[in-house]
Amino acid sequence: MPPKPPTSKLKLSLPLAARPRAASTSTSSYAHLTATLPRRHLPLLYDYLTPQPSHLLNVTLSSFLPKHAIPAILPSVTSELPLPPSHHLVYFPPPTPIPLLLPDGTDPQLSPGKPFTRRMWAGGHMYFPSPPMLLDGSRAVCAERITDVKIRGSAGNEKIFVSVERRMSNVLEGEDEEGIMERVWGIEGEEEAEDGAGVEELWGNGGGVQVVERREMVFMRGRSEEELDKAREEAMAGNRKPGKIIKAPHPPTYVHTLVPTQPLLFRYSALTMNAHQIHLSPLYSLHHEAHPSLLVHGPLSLTLMLSVLSAHLSSLHPDSASRPAIREVSYRNIAPMYCGEELRVCVREKEGDNGNGNGDRCGGAWEIWCEGADGGVKVKGRARVGMPGEEERWGWGFWDDIGELRGGEI
């Protein structure tokens, strides 16, 4: 008899809406998107949690990160290794046939359509409860919903911010979609739950949600040929306009320096099934987006930050039995990072606050960020760690922390 999906033991105190948020008001001619996009059906994404994708990601990152032990051979599913933080990004690939991809290589599922043909990864929030998902070969699902759409900017200069929530859980072989949606989202199929449904109601009662991710994408208008010509000339001449440089308010506890390369970006694109041409084709990046080089993926920068933090925690706590684990992270992409340019990954223990507002110092909260050679912050975030066996709780507001980390618009 197959095992039952794990029962969730999360104790979350903040309310979380079970259905997309109410449409935000806007006078833009595209205001209808705030209502239509959240109603878009996103198919369930299935995968088998084998060690292979995570192992290949470790191998890919190994020469770019602080030295740590990587198995010489592929680990066995019988080892039941825990899924490392952010490694869920190389699982649950979108099964989109190539002819259905958009001209820039991106998946159309979240796109608002023309004229918003340029896409950037704005930021997100991830939650990794205890115990973690295991790479034991079991079948799992990622259930996604567009939860919020906002339109910012004046008429003719709008940007569309699309927020999507992803919930990951083990599933039984043959478990139907209706049962999965009812268990993972607290709803039956496409039916909406009543207002005020709390997290306890949705994730208790055997919901089995093991990873939660909220990501925010921003869609922008395509540039005119005149705008592109001017921007391309500046990029090719190395005369990029220096944007607002944001400096970190405090020195880091630990710094790791690396230089992203084209093979790194290619491999990460392959592992995540991401065909966005700004990460793969220097010609496309220059001629269609006026970037001087390939862009480093938003999720790759997050993976680098969490990997460096994990390595630092390992050095501080050699005994794995007493080593804190990353439980929660919020991050915001502020400025582009380019292939071939030096990148400093910084972490700093946040004193005076363990992430739950009690004001005590237990090493529970960390500031994490990436900065360029000029010291300007490119990505910034905050992470919460917890000790093995520690009772689960929310340290910050799931939604509000993203707004606190903005510090600049894309």
Side-chain angles (χ1 to χ4, degrees):
M1 183 175 179
K4 295 182 179 180
T7 299
S8 174
K9 297 181 180 179
L10 302 178
K11 295 183 179 180
L12 310 180
S13 59
L14 297 178
L16 178 62
R19 61 178 180 179
R21 291 178 171 184
S24 56
T25 59
S26 172
T27 57
S28 167
S29 58
Y30 298 97
H32 64 280
L33 294 172
T34 61
T36 58
L37 279 178
R39 291 200 294 266
R40 185 175 290 180
H41 173 75
L42 303 182
L44 296 178
L45 305 176
Y46 295 95
D47 209 337
Y48 286 92
L49 299 179
T50 68
Q52 179 78 293
S54 179
H55 177 66
L56 291 177
L57 179 58
N58 280 330
V59 171
T60 295
L61 299 178
S62 60
S63 59
F64 297 90
L65 294 173
K67 292 183 179 179
H68 62 284
I70 295 178
I73 60 174
L74 177 67
S76 169
V77 293
T78 60
S79 302
E80 296 190 341
L81 296 174
L83 178 69
S86 81
H87 280 221
H88 69 279
L89 294 167
V90 298
Y91 292 84
F92 311 106
T96 306
I98 290 177
L100 298 184
L101 295 176
L102 298 176
D104 63 355
T106 58
D107 190 285
Q109 294 289 350
L110 305 180
S111 172
K114 294 181 178 181
F116 304 100
T117 57
R118 299 165 58 215
R119 188 190 85 168
M120 297 292 287
W121 192 296
H125 190 121
M126 296 178 182
Y127 184 60
F128 313 104
S130 178
M133 271 186 152
L134 298 178
L135 300 178
D136 56 3
S138 58
R139 184 173 173 85
V141 70
C142 174
E144 301 179 308
R145 286 172 70 88
I146 295 175
T147 56
D148 193 26
V149 176
K150 287 186 171 66
I151 301 176
R152 299 195 180 112
S154 59
N157 295 293
E158 301 97 336
K159 295 177 183 177
I160 313 297
F161 286 78
V162 179
S163 299
V164 60
E165 185 180 335
R166 314 172 79 226
R167 299 184 181 186
M168 282 142 268
S169 172
N170 287 106
V171 294
L172 300 174
E173 295 288 349
E175 188 174 0
D176 61 46
E177 180 172 341
E178 182 176 330
I180 291 171
M181 291 296 290
E182 182 177 3
R183 176 167 61 82
V184 175
W185 278 99
I187 58 179
E188 296 184 9
E190 293 300 306
E191 293 182 15
E192 297 176 342
E194 295 180 4
D195 283 331
V199 177
E200 293 274 0
E201 298 174 51
L202 300 181
W203 292 9
N205 307 320
V209 177
Q210 293 166 285
V211 176
V212 184
E213 176 189 0
R214 182 180 172 92
R215 59 177 63 164
E216 189 172 358
M217 316 298 293
V218 57
F219 293 86
M220 300 163 287
R221 290 173 177 268
R223 291 172 171 172
S224 68
E225 200 57 41
E226 181 180 350
E227 292 171 329
L228 273 175
D229 284 341
K230 182 178 179 181
R232 278 194 293 257
E233 289 177 6
E234 293 175 349
M236 293 174 69
N239 298 328
R240 277 182 279 163
K241 289 183 179 179
K244 181 181 178 182
I245 296 179
I246 300 174
K247 299 279 189 174
H250 305 287
T253 304
Y254 176 77
V255 178
H256 178 72
T257 302
L258 61 101
V259 178
T261 64
Q262 192 165 348
L264 170 63
L265 270 57
F266 170 80
R267 279 198 173 187
Y268 194 80
S269 290
L271 286 168
T272 56
M273 285 281 283
N274 182 353
H276 198 178
Q277 291 298 293
I278 61 173
H279 309 303
L280 296 169
S281 170
L283 284 176
Y284 182 94
S285 189
L286 174 63
H287 289 284
H288 291 270
E289 298 279 358
H291 289 295
S293 183
L294 298 176
L295 270 73
V296 177
H297 311 65
L300 174 56
S301 64
L302 173 71
T303 301
L304 291 170
M305 290 193 298
L306 293 185
S307 298
V308 169
L309 176 57
S310 293
H312 185 55
L313 291 172
S314 296
S315 67
L316 295 177
H317 306 273
D319 181 7
S320 60
S322 60
R323 183 181 305 150
I326 298 171
R327 295 280 178 80
E328 190 175 4
V329 61
S330 292
Y331 66 102
R332 170 65 55 176
N333 296 316
I334 298 173
M337 298 187 297
Y338 293 111
C339 178
E341 295 187 358
E342 182 179 286
L343 174 64
R344 288 161 43 95
V345 183
C346 307
V347 302
R348 178 181 180 273
E349 189 174 11
K350 190 174 176 62
E351 297 184 9
D353 189 359
N354 67 357
N356 65 3
N358 292 337
D360 53 336
R361 183 182 185 278
C362 70
W366 290 79
E367 295 173 346
I368 54 176
W369 69 94
C370 292
E371 61 185 35
D374 61 357
V377 176
K378 309 294 185 180
V379 186
K380 64 177 180 178
R382 290 189 292 186
R384 179 175 67 83
V385 303
M387 300 302 295
E390 183 180 69
E391 182 179 354
E392 281 301 323
R393 54 172 171 72
W394 276 117
W396 301 310
F398 195 88
W399 316 118
D400 296 340
D401 196 53
I402 295 297
E404 294 173 10
L405 289 173
R406 282 191 188 283
E409 290 293 348
I410 291 178

